[in-house]
Amino acid sequence: MYSTIKFLHSYWAYLVLIILILATFNALMKFFSDKEFSAKDFRISLFTLIVTHIQLLLGLILYFVSPNGLQTIRMNGMGGLNSLSRLMAVEHPFVAILAVTFITIGYSKHKKKLTSKPKFKSLAIFYSLGLILILSRIPWSNWL
């Protein structure tokens, strides 16, 4: 089970990153060019929300079954973690939860707006924050 979840979490991350970059740049470009919010924009933002939530669920499952997650903290304690262990067991999960929270807030706020400019503004701000957080805590040494 561990290897399957790890495989899914690792490769689903590429999809998350691609669609989050697409959604962020779509919102930024259309915000600054005063375009109208269309059904395509709605689908892009919704798909981004869905894939990030799936990634979060895979990550949470992985956190509890992986030897690099909760088990590392149980074995070594918080003070006994080296930088890579701390990244995998503490920083990566915490920042991922924060990033998905920002993406969810952005999606929820955009639905309440009535005109295009505020919709794109909410998506641009919160999706950008989520993207920056995700990029900051990707375990690049394990990923590339």
Side-chain angles (χ1 to χ4, degrees):
M1 178 175 159
Y2 165 69
S3 59
T4 304
I5 298 294
K6 183 179 177 188
F7 176 82
L8 288 172
H9 184 70
S10 296
Y11 287 99
W12 193 262
Y14 291 105
L15 177 63
V16 170
L17 202 52
I18 290 167
I19 192 70
L20 183 55
I21 290 169
L22 173 76
T24 302
F25 283 112
N26 180 60
L28 285 168
M29 288 188 310
K30 292 192 176 180
F31 173 74
F32 288 115
S33 63
D34 293 326
K35 300 277 183 171
E36 286 298 312
F37 194 82
S38 66
K40 178 183 167 191
D41 301 314
F42 177 77
R43 281 189 224 109
I44 290 171
S45 61
L46 177 61
F47 189 64
T48 303
L49 180 78
I50 291 168
V51 298
T52 55
H53 278 84
I54 291 170
Q55 179 71 352
L56 178 65
L57 289 174
L58 290 170
L60 288 173
I61 293 168
L62 189 61
Y63 182 75
F64 292 105
V65 299
S66 169
N68 297 325
L70 186 61
Q71 292 177 18
T72 300
I73 296 172
R74 284 186 181 155
M75 288 185 338
N76 302 317
M78 288 297 282
L81 299 177
N82 61 30
S83 62
L84 181 61
S85 297
R86 189 182 66 240
L87 172 67
M88 299 299 287
V90 180
E91 295 169 4
H92 178 72
F94 178 72
V95 172
I97 291 168
L98 259 165
V100 173
T101 302
F102 280 129
I103 291 166
T104 305
I105 290 169
Y107 182 81
S108 297
K109 285 178 119 1
H110 107 277
K111 289 192 319 183
K112 296 176 184 170
K113 307 296 181 187
L114 300 176
T115 57
S116 295
K117 188 104 171 157
K119 283 180 178 282
F120 285 126
K121 183 179 179 181
S122 294
L123 289 171
I125 290 170
F126 287 99
Y127 279 30
S128 294
L129 288 171
L131 178 62
I132 290 166
L133 287 173
I134 287 172
L135 289 173
S136 75
R137 291 296 115 202
I138 290 176
W140 294 106
S141 60
N142 294 352
W143 210 43
L144 297 177

